[in-house]
Amino acid sequence: MRIRPVAVVSFVAVVGWASAWADDFFLTIGGGYDATGNQVSLERNVVFQQSVLARQRPDKPVHEIYFADGEDEARDLQLCDANFEKSCSRARRLMAELLGDESTMNLVYRNHNIVGETGPSEPKLIERRMKKLASELAAGDRLFIYATAHGGSAEIDEDYGWHDDELTESTANEYDTSLYMWDGDSITASEFSRWLDQLSPDVEVILVMVQCYSGGFSHTMFHDADSDLGMSNHRRCGFFSQVHDRPAAGCTPDIDNDDYQEYSGFFWAALGGETRAGKPITSADYNGDGSVSFAEAHAYAVIESDTIDIPISTSGEFLRKYSSLGKKKPGDDDADKPTGIGGLFGMLAGSEKDGPQQELLELRGSLAELAHRGSPHQRAILERLPEMIGIEGKPSITAINNRLKKIEAEQAKASVKYGTTQSTYSRISNGLVEAIEREWPELTSPYAPLAMELCNERADEFVAKVESLPNYAAFRRAQERNERAMETYREYEHLEAKAQRLLRTCENIVLEANLDKIATSEIVERYRQLRAMEDGLLVPSP
């Protein structure tokens, strides 16, 4: 246990003294739900975080890692076979394409090799550790929690309710998403919030979470991860790869680090000053103060990552709860107020200012005008993303909305085309399979001895026969068209996500400008504290 000196000094001196003695503690949760869902990219994410901490934190703060099956020597990690292209015969590939296992035939497994792991990714184990941390961490300390795993959306029960029809499905918490852990276990955002409640309110908690639907965990800043219950009295902030109602990018068995397009890789790269491949990063210090804050690292990921993700932070979610865009219409004051116990806690939290409302800033105009109200990292997003999504001339809110509508329309067309090419490809493929099974009926059984023969000593015979079938050429053409259609659809997915990132940043700037016009002073102060945590540094200032 740490012994800290006691002194009677001024408040300012106490704050400085506490900062000087504060400690940082890192806790990483990673891996899949089983071996088939534990891709090598999850392991690489943890290793990259370790490398960043090794460079940036020579003081070696405590870092505990709970990953997959822990120290079990069983092969728990899925990856692509580096020798697949050389070792797999033409006959084997052709049989996989047509008869069933093309997407998995190049996968192999090994035991993960994370150095210094603490244990498996098991909820009970981590919960016990959190209880112990409650007695170890003191006021002013910081707890960093990084989750690189899989996740699920909130489970909304159609019969959700306590007293007949008082609570309906619409009042269920859509932000109560899940973080998947080893052996099929999981933890919801509300459960995770209760874990964090065991810590002292004066311990800062910084979350970085990249699982699917990770944005639900941004609501751990509220009581029970439920915004209707008001703000928790604990100091928490966080950065999340995706909003609460969308799957995220990033999990892959691909062994090539350079191909990873994943939020936390960009986030840690910005904080560490170099990419996974060791390329220096100099563009993330948006305010030019010589350091990269968490908020700047988040902005760097928003700008640079080419994925389906719409990264969010706690401050943005806070603003969506307590602020508003544009002018309020008559009757709006009561329209969105929660009822029941949620309403009681919401009122106790105090979200609206009493008295006449000031005129609110609307979401409109040029981005150049809006940028003046934003922080340097928000301005960087407003400057960089318009060109990336194809906005020409002077960007404006109208231009963003128009471009987003066009992207969504093109995305819908691309989806229809992809569905059509997929249907054609499946039809021709099925016809080819029928012809193959007429020639070799034994292949209707995937483990038939003949299948092994046709992939080995009779491989030339198999390939020649299949490629001579009348519809083989049509099969290849359909396959190529389907792959092009899929790539086109994915391109529009990425464009749509970037347009949403840009629009969301604009909304955050307007919401922040309106906050002190409609929220109580207590809420405004909580927002300032939240922003201060998000502007913190991986390497704390003396």
mmCIF file with all atom_site columns, all heavy atoms in Angstrom, residues 472-484:
data_model
loop_
_atom_site.group_PDB
_atom_site.id
_atom_site.type_symbol
_atom_site.label_atom_id
_atom_site.label_alt_id
_atom_site.label_comp_id
_atom_site.label_asym_id
_atom_site.label_entity_id
_atom_site.label_seq_id
_atom_site.pdbx_PDB_ins_code
_atom_site.Cartn_x
_atom_site.Cartn_y
_atom_site.Cartn_z
_atom_site.occupancy
_atom_site.B_iso_or_equiv
_atom_site.pdbx_formal_charge
_atom_site.auth_seq_id
_atom_site.auth_comp_id
_atom_site.auth_asym_id
_atom_site.auth_atom_id
_atom_site.pdbx_PDB_model_num
ATOM 1   N N   . TYR A 1 472 ? -18.322 -23.164 -66.860 1.00 0.00 ? 472 TYR A N   1
ATOM 2   C CA  . TYR A 1 472 ? -17.190 -22.746 -66.031 1.00 0.00 ? 472 TYR A CA  1
ATOM 3   C C   . TYR A 1 472 ? -16.768 -21.311 -66.344 1.00 0.00 ? 472 TYR A C   1
ATOM 4   O O   . TYR A 1 472 ? -16.519 -20.513 -65.427 1.00 0.00 ? 472 TYR A O   1
ATOM 5   C CB  . TYR A 1 472 ? -15.997 -23.688 -66.211 1.00 0.00 ? 472 TYR A CB  1
ATOM 6   C CG  . TYR A 1 472 ? -14.798 -23.266 -65.386 1.00 0.00 ? 472 TYR A CG  1
ATOM 7   C CD1 . TYR A 1 472 ? -14.752 -23.521 -64.030 1.00 0.00 ? 472 TYR A CD1 1
ATOM 8   C CD2 . TYR A 1 472 ? -13.728 -22.570 -65.965 1.00 0.00 ? 472 TYR A CD2 1
ATOM 9   C CE1 . TYR A 1 472 ? -13.674 -23.120 -63.255 1.00 0.00 ? 472 TYR A CE1 1
ATOM 10  C CE2 . TYR A 1 472 ? -12.647 -22.160 -65.200 1.00 0.00 ? 472 TYR A CE2 1
ATOM 11  C CZ  . TYR A 1 472 ? -12.626 -22.442 -63.847 1.00 0.00 ? 472 TYR A CZ  1
ATOM 12  O OH  . TYR A 1 472 ? -11.558 -22.029 -63.092 1.00 0.00 ? 472 TYR A OH  1
ATOM 13  N N   . ALA A 1 473 ? -16.686 -20.961 -67.628 1.00 0.00 ? 473 ALA A N   1
ATOM 14  C CA  . ALA A 1 473 ? -16.297 -19.599 -68.006 1.00 0.00 ? 473 ALA A CA  1
ATOM 15  C C   . ALA A 1 473 ? -17.303 -18.580 -67.485 1.00 0.00 ? 473 ALA A C   1
ATOM 16  O O   . ALA A 1 473 ? -16.939 -17.502 -67.003 1.00 0.00 ? 473 ALA A O   1
ATOM 17  C CB  . ALA A 1 473 ? -16.152 -19.491 -69.524 1.00 0.00 ? 473 ALA A CB  1
ATOM 18  N N   . ALA A 1 474 ? -18.586 -18.922 -67.565 1.00 0.00 ? 474 ALA A N   1
ATOM 19  C CA  . ALA A 1 474 ? -19.628 -18.025 -67.043 1.00 0.00 ? 474 ALA A CA  1
ATOM 20  C C   . ALA A 1 474 ? -19.501 -17.870 -65.534 1.00 0.00 ? 474 ALA A C   1
ATOM 21  O O   . ALA A 1 474 ? -19.741 -16.796 -64.971 1.00 0.00 ? 474 ALA A O   1
ATOM 22  C CB  . ALA A 1 474 ? -21.006 -18.572 -67.408 1.00 0.00 ? 474 ALA A CB  1
ATOM 23  N N   . PHE A 1 475 ? -19.116 -18.956 -64.864 1.00 0.00 ? 475 PHE A N   1
ATOM 24  C CA  . PHE A 1 475 ? -18.897 -18.922 -63.414 1.00 0.00 ? 475 PHE A CA  1
ATOM 25  C C   . PHE A 1 475 ? -17.806 -17.917 -63.052 1.00 0.00 ? 475 PHE A C   1
ATOM 26  O O   . PHE A 1 475 ? -17.972 -17.111 -62.127 1.00 0.00 ? 475 PHE A O   1
ATOM 27  C CB  . PHE A 1 475 ? -18.522 -20.326 -62.934 1.00 0.00 ? 475 PHE A CB  1
ATOM 28  C CG  . PHE A 1 475 ? -17.922 -20.367 -61.560 1.00 0.00 ? 475 PHE A CG  1
ATOM 29  C CD1 . PHE A 1 475 ? -18.706 -20.198 -60.435 1.00 0.00 ? 475 PHE A CD1 1
ATOM 30  C CD2 . PHE A 1 475 ? -16.549 -20.581 -61.389 1.00 0.00 ? 475 PHE A CD2 1
ATOM 31  C CE1 . PHE A 1 475 ? -18.147 -20.241 -59.167 1.00 0.00 ? 475 PHE A CE1 1
ATOM 32  C CE2 . PHE A 1 475 ? -15.992 -20.626 -60.128 1.00 0.00 ? 475 PHE A CE2 1
ATOM 33  C CZ  . PHE A 1 475 ? -16.791 -20.456 -59.013 1.00 0.00 ? 475 PHE A CZ  1
ATOM 34  N N   . ARG A 1 476 ? -16.691 -17.940 -63.782 1.00 0.00 ? 476 ARG A N   1
ATOM 35  C CA  . ARG A 1 476 ? -15.599 -17.014 -63.492 1.00 0.00 ? 476 ARG A CA  1
ATOM 36  C C   . ARG A 1 476 ? -16.009 -15.572 -63.755 1.00 0.00 ? 476 ARG A C   1
ATOM 37  O O   . ARG A 1 476 ? -15.677 -14.663 -62.989 1.00 0.00 ? 476 ARG A O   1
ATOM 38  C CB  . ARG A 1 476 ? -14.369 -17.371 -64.323 1.00 0.00 ? 476 ARG A CB  1
ATOM 39  C CG  . ARG A 1 476 ? -13.606 -18.592 -63.841 1.00 0.00 ? 476 ARG A CG  1
ATOM 40  C CD  . ARG A 1 476 ? -13.173 -18.410 -62.405 1.00 0.00 ? 476 ARG A CD  1
ATOM 41  N NE  . ARG A 1 476 ? -12.428 -19.557 -61.891 1.00 0.00 ? 476 ARG A NE  1
ATOM 42  C CZ  . ARG A 1 476 ? -12.254 -19.804 -60.615 1.00 0.00 ? 476 ARG A CZ  1
ATOM 43  N NH1 . ARG A 1 476 ? -12.783 -19.016 -59.698 1.00 0.00 ? 476 ARG A NH1 1
ATOM 44  N NH2 . ARG A 1 476 ? -11.548 -20.860 -60.228 1.00 0.00 ? 476 ARG A NH2 1
ATOM 45  N N   . ARG A 1 477 ? -16.748 -15.332 -64.830 1.00 0.00 ? 477 ARG A N   1
ATOM 46  C CA  . ARG A 1 477 ? -17.199 -13.962 -65.130 1.00 0.00 ? 477 ARG A CA  1
ATOM 47  C C   . ARG A 1 477 ? -18.146 -13.472 -64.031 1.00 0.00 ? 477 ARG A C   1
ATOM 48  O O   . ARG A 1 477 ? -18.051 -12.324 -63.585 1.00 0.00 ? 477 ARG A O   1
ATOM 49  C CB  . ARG A 1 477 ? -17.885 -13.917 -66.489 1.00 0.00 ? 477 ARG A CB  1
ATOM 50  C CG  . ARG A 1 477 ? -16.934 -14.079 -67.677 1.00 0.00 ? 477 ARG A CG  1
ATOM 51  C CD  . ARG A 1 477 ? -17.625 -13.689 -68.977 1.00 0.00 ? 477 ARG A CD  1
ATOM 52  N NE  . ARG A 1 477 ? -18.762 -14.568 -69.268 1.00 0.00 ? 477 ARG A NE  1
ATOM 53  C CZ  . ARG A 1 477 ? -18.688 -15.698 -69.956 1.00 0.00 ? 477 ARG A CZ  1
ATOM 54  N NH1 . ARG A 1 477 ? -17.520 -16.108 -70.426 1.00 0.00 ? 477 ARG A NH1 1
ATOM 55  N NH2 . ARG A 1 477 ? -19.777 -16.417 -70.186 1.00 0.00 ? 477 ARG A NH2 1
ATOM 56  N N   . ALA A 1 478 ? -19.057 -14.335 -63.613 1.00 0.00 ? 478 ALA A N   1
ATOM 57  C CA  . ALA A 1 478 ? -19.999 -13.957 -62.556 1.00 0.00 ? 478 ALA A CA  1
ATOM 58  C C   . ALA A 1 478 ? -19.264 -13.686 -61.250 1.00 0.00 ? 478 ALA A C   1
ATOM 59  O O   . ALA A 1 478 ? -19.618 -12.769 -60.486 1.00 0.00 ? 478 ALA A O   1
ATOM 60  C CB  . ALA A 1 478 ? -21.033 -15.060 -62.366 1.00 0.00 ? 478 ALA A CB  1
ATOM 61  N N   . GLN A 1 479 ? -18.241 -14.468 -60.979 1.00 0.00 ? 479 GLN A N   1
ATOM 62  C CA  . GLN A 1 479 ? -17.444 -14.277 -59.769 1.00 0.00 ? 479 GLN A CA  1
ATOM 63  C C   . GLN A 1 479 ? -16.751 -12.921 -59.773 1.00 0.00 ? 479 GLN A C   1
ATOM 64  O O   . GLN A 1 479 ? -16.765 -12.192 -58.768 1.00 0.00 ? 479 GLN A O   1
ATOM 65  C CB  . GLN A 1 479 ? -16.421 -15.398 -59.653 1.00 0.00 ? 479 GLN A CB  1
ATOM 66  C CG  . GLN A 1 479 ? -15.604 -15.388 -58.381 1.00 0.00 ? 479 GLN A CG  1
ATOM 67  C CD  . GLN A 1 479 ? -14.565 -16.486 -58.373 1.00 0.00 ? 479 GLN A CD  1
ATOM 68  O OE1 . GLN A 1 479 ? -13.774 -16.627 -59.310 1.00 0.00 ? 479 GLN A OE1 1
ATOM 69  N NE2 . GLN A 1 479 ? -14.570 -17.305 -57.330 1.00 0.00 ? 479 GLN A NE2 1
ATOM 70  N N   . GLU A 1 480 ? -16.155 -12.552 -60.899 1.00 0.00 ? 480 GLU A N   1
ATOM 71  C CA  . GLU A 1 480 ? -15.459 -11.273 -61.017 1.00 0.00 ? 480 GLU A CA  1
ATOM 72  C C   . GLU A 1 480 ? -16.434 -10.103 -60.881 1.00 0.00 ? 480 GLU A C   1
ATOM 73  O O   . GLU A 1 480 ? -16.142 -9.110  -60.196 1.00 0.00 ? 480 GLU A O   1
ATOM 74  C CB  . GLU A 1 480 ? -14.726 -11.191 -62.349 1.00 0.00 ? 480 GLU A CB  1
ATOM 75  C CG  . GLU A 1 480 ? -13.536 -12.149 -62.441 1.00 0.00 ? 480 GLU A CG  1
ATOM 76  C CD  . GLU A 1 480 ? -12.916 -12.163 -63.828 1.00 0.00 ? 480 GLU A CD  1
ATOM 77  O OE1 . GLU A 1 480 ? -13.408 -11.396 -64.698 1.00 0.00 ? 480 GLU A OE1 1
ATOM 78  O OE2 . GLU A 1 480 ? -11.970 -12.937 -64.053 1.00 0.00 ? 480 GLU A OE2 1
ATOM 79  N N   . ARG A 1 481 ? -17.605 -10.207 -61.536 1.00 0.00 ? 481 ARG A N   1
ATOM 80  C CA  . ARG A 1 481 ? -18.602 -9.133  -61.427 1.00 0.00 ? 481 ARG A CA  1
ATOM 81  C C   . ARG A 1 481 ? -19.089 -8.989  -59.990 1.00 0.00 ? 481 ARG A C   1
ATOM 82  O O   . ARG A 1 481 ? -19.298 -7.878  -59.501 1.00 0.00 ? 481 ARG A O   1
ATOM 83  C CB  . ARG A 1 481 ? -19.779 -9.415  -62.368 1.00 0.00 ? 481 ARG A CB  1
ATOM 84  C CG  . ARG A 1 481 ? -19.492 -9.154  -63.831 1.00 0.00 ? 481 ARG A CG  1
ATOM 85  C CD  . ARG A 1 481 ? -20.775 -9.097  -64.635 1.00 0.00 ? 481 ARG A CD  1
ATOM 86  N NE  . ARG A 1 481 ? -21.427 -10.405 -64.673 1.00 0.00 ? 481 ARG A NE  1
ATOM 87  C CZ  . ARG A 1 481 ? -21.228 -11.317 -65.625 1.00 0.00 ? 481 ARG A CZ  1
ATOM 88  N NH1 . ARG A 1 481 ? -20.393 -11.050 -66.619 1.00 0.00 ? 481 ARG A NH1 1
ATOM 89  N NH2 . ARG A 1 481 ? -21.868 -12.470 -65.590 1.00 0.00 ? 481 ARG A NH2 1
ATOM 90  N N   . ASN A 1 482 ? -19.266 -10.107 -59.314 1.00 0.00 ? 482 ASN A N   1
ATOM 91  C CA  . ASN A 1 482 ? -19.737 -10.063 -57.933 1.00 0.00 ? 482 ASN A CA  1
ATOM 92  C C   . ASN A 1 482 ? -18.702 -9.418  -57.013 1.00 0.00 ? 482 ASN A C   1
ATOM 93  O O   . ASN A 1 482 ? -19.049 -8.618  -56.136 1.00 0.00 ? 482 ASN A O   1
ATOM 94  C CB  . ASN A 1 482 ? -20.046 -11.477 -57.447 1.00 0.00 ? 482 ASN A CB  1
ATOM 95  C CG  . ASN A 1 482 ? -20.716 -11.488 -56.094 1.00 0.00 ? 482 ASN A CG  1
ATOM 96  O OD1 . ASN A 1 482 ? -21.741 -10.854 -55.896 1.00 0.00 ? 482 ASN A OD1 1
ATOM 97  N ND2 . ASN A 1 482 ? -20.135 -12.224 -55.153 1.00 0.00 ? 482 ASN A ND2 1
ATOM 98  N N   . GLU A 1 483 ? -17.433 -9.730  -57.216 1.00 0.00 ? 483 GLU A N   1
ATOM 99  C CA  . GLU A 1 483 ? -16.373 -9.139  -56.397 1.00 0.00 ? 483 GLU A CA  1
ATOM 100 C C   . GLU A 1 483 ? -16.275 -7.637  -56.633 1.00 0.00 ? 483 GLU A C   1
ATOM 101 O O   . GLU A 1 483 ? -16.080 -6.867  -55.686 1.00 0.00 ? 483 GLU A O   1
ATOM 102 C CB  . GLU A 1 483 ? -15.042 -9.824  -56.703 1.00 0.00 ? 483 GLU A CB  1
ATOM 103 C CG  . GLU A 1 483 ? -14.966 -11.254 -56.168 1.00 0.00 ? 483 GLU A CG  1
ATOM 104 C CD  . GLU A 1 483 ? -13.691 -11.963 -56.572 1.00 0.00 ? 483 GLU A CD  1
ATOM 105 O OE1 . GLU A 1 483 ? -12.919 -11.377 -57.382 1.00 0.00 ? 483 GLU A OE1 1
ATOM 106 O OE2 . GLU A 1 483 ? -13.447 -13.090 -56.103 1.00 0.00 ? 483 GLU A OE2 1
ATOM 107 N N   . ARG A 1 484 ? -16.415 -7.203  -57.896 1.00 0.00 ? 484 ARG A N   1
ATOM 108 C CA  . ARG A 1 484 ? -16.383 -5.761  -58.184 1.00 0.00 ? 484 ARG A CA  1
ATOM 109 C C   . ARG A 1 484 ? -17.576 -5.055  -57.556 1.00 0.00 ? 484 ARG A C   1
ATOM 110 O O   . ARG A 1 484 ? -17.445 -3.958  -56.994 1.00 0.00 ? 484 ARG A O   1
ATOM 111 C CB  . ARG A 1 484 ? -16.372 -5.525  -59.693 1.00 0.00 ? 484 ARG A CB  1
ATOM 112 C CG  . ARG A 1 484 ? -15.050 -5.870  -60.371 1.00 0.00 ? 484 ARG A CG  1
ATOM 113 C CD  . ARG A 1 484 ? -14.974 -5.230  -61.747 1.00 0.00 ? 484 ARG A CD  1
ATOM 114 N NE  . ARG A 1 484 ? -16.031 -5.698  -62.628 1.00 0.00 ? 484 ARG A NE  1
ATOM 115 C CZ  . ARG A 1 484 ? -15.934 -6.746  -63.435 1.00 0.00 ? 484 ARG A CZ  1
ATOM 116 N NH1 . ARG A 1 484 ? -14.818 -7.469  -63.452 1.00 0.00 ? 484 ARG A NH1 1
ATOM 117 N NH2 . ARG A 1 484 ? -16.943 -7.112  -64.209 1.00 0.00 ? 484 ARG A NH2 1
#
